[in-house]
Amino acid sequence: MSRLTLTELSRRVALPVATVTEIVELGIIEPDSHDPHWLFDETVTVIVTRAARLHRDLAMDWSGVALALELSEENRRLRRENAALRRRLERFLDPR
């Protein structure tokens, strides 16, 4: 997996460097490295693209986007956990 500089990430997602910096400052993504410059795993492009879509399509400010993404991830985590617990319960209740 390659790593991207802030400028490379900005170009890849077609957002200004200042916008990507704001996204980092809000905790939507985190750089892998802080010294001497930010480096990002290229997989963050998916998250930034989702964030930009929410910002554009729903006219959300970046703080709202950060909250929406956090809640979305929590929802996914809870759904996975719920599915695992249901499977365990089904095995427990299975009369075989």
Side-chain angles (χ1 to χ4, degrees), residues 20-73:
V20 176
T21 300
E22 184 175 0
I23 289 170
V24 171
E25 290 171 350
L26 288 168
I28 294 172
I29 59 169
E30 291 186 24
D32 289 341
S33 170
H34 294 278
D35 298 319
H37 303 287
W38 287 346
L39 292 175
F40 299 89
D41 185 285
E42 68 180 4
T43 60
V44 301
T45 59
V46 174
I47 298 167
V48 175
T49 301
R50 283 182 65 210
R53 194 175 320 125
L54 286 170
H55 178 71
R56 182 189 64 240
D57 294 351
L58 301 179
M60 297 175 80
D61 65 11
W62 290 112
S63 296
V65 169
L67 179 60
L69 290 173
E70 181 181 331
L71 292 173
S72 177
E73 182 55 37

